[in-house]
């Protein structure tokens, strides 16, 4: 009797310690659509490295690049349903989710440079946009850079007239749609993973993207010309499923926030270099010719694109456009 009681107690003690020993790590699936060798791809890997280090193995980050799990639109739905826990969609992709104010980032020539961008994302606009995601079951964790866009086609695009009648691939954003129409082109929404084939087979004539995306997706192999127009910007909001994030033990969440903070700094530091190197590689390949706009040509683009602001004001919101412009133009000391 006494022995069996002891045995039972020992077994109980074993059982009690078993969960602690065999505790499974919390798995976070981080899905994205670009190649690993891009600012976002490297940022995701950096976050994984830091998050696993700071949580001391309590968290395991599984990164799925290249639309392996989900394409553009599906990935946000998957996050909302909890099939993946983290994503970093481009800012253009939040409009279709109903948070149209994000499309302010797509307005042509709204950002003069990265410093202006940083003032916006780190200022009130950046915060207020993240707040708007909460009602969608999403928490915003950081803004990651990619870079300024290049327009590509099989003919040189120097003046707005050169776009006339061209089918141009865009991300699913009403502002980008208006932008292409203002240039006389026909916008076609396509998932990122489908762009190479669409360019190759002539389903679309051209596209707009950053150098790092054009290079890693091999768009430069199927486009003869790229215009270094810097007319728009591609960047990301790193997001998580809010219920999952809020349900994490507070210490773990704090460690992940620290990892995110550092991964954000890292990504934003490397993004320009990544894009510069990708541009150099494409130039070296000899398969695509890059065009710089003269000041007159650039002025003509700006003029052709100016009506997009008025047209999109009711959708994006006058107040956010004005606040954005104010913050972007603010002087820092
Ligand atoms: C695109 O769809 O063109 C890009 O936004 C993809 C990305 O995430 O950089």
């Amino acid at each position: 009797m006494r022995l069996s009681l002891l045995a039972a107690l020992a077994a109980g003690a074993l059982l009690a310690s078993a969960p602690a020993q065999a505790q499974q790590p919390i798995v976070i699936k981080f899905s994205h659509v670009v190649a690993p060798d891009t600012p976002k791809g490297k940022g995701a890997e950096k976050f994984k490295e830091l998050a696993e280090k700071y949580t001391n193995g309590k968290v395991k980050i599984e990164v799925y690049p290249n639309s392996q799990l989900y394409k553009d639109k599906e990935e946000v739905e998957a996050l909302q349903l909890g099939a993946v826990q983290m994503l970093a969609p481009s800012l253009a992709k939040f409009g279709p989710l109903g948070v149209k104010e994000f499309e302010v980032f797509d307005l042509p020539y709204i950002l003069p440079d990265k410093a202006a961008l940083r003032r916006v994302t780190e200022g009130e606009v950046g915060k207020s946009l993240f707040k708007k995601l909460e009602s969608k079951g999403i928490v915003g964790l950081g803004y990651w850079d990619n870079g300024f866009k290049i327009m590509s086609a099989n003919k040189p695009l120097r003046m707005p007239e050169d776009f006339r009648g061209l089918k141009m691939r865009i991300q699913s954003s009403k502002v980008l749609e208006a932008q292409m129409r203002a240039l006389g082109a026909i916008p076609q929404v396509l998932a990122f993973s489908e762009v190479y084939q669409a360019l190759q087979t002539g389903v679309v004539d051209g596209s707009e993207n950053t150098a790092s995306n054009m290079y890693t997706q091999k768009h430069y192999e199927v486009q003869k010309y790229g215009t270094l127009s810097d007319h728009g910007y591609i960047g990301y909001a790193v997001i998580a499923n809010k219920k999952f994030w809020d349900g994490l033990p507070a210490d773990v969440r704090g460690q992940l926030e620290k990892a995110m903070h550092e991964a954000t700094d890292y990504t934003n530091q490397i993004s320009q270099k990544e894009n510069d190197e990708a541009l150099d590689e494409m130039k070296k390949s000899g398969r695509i010719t890059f065009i710089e706009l003269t000041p007159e040509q650039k002025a003509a683009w700006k003029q052709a694109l100016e009506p997009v602001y008025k047209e999109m004001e009711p959708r994006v919101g006058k107040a956010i456009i004005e606040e954005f412009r104010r913050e972007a133009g603010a002087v820092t000391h």
Side-chain angles (χ1 to χ4, degrees), residues 33-34 40 72 90 93 146 169 171 192 209 213 234 236:
V33 300
V34 297
K40 175 161 63 177
D72 306 12
S90 69
K93 290 183 179 135
N146 187 334
R169 181 268 171 172
Q171 305 182 71
F192 182 62
N209 227 308
N213 277 344
I234 292 185
Y236 310 104

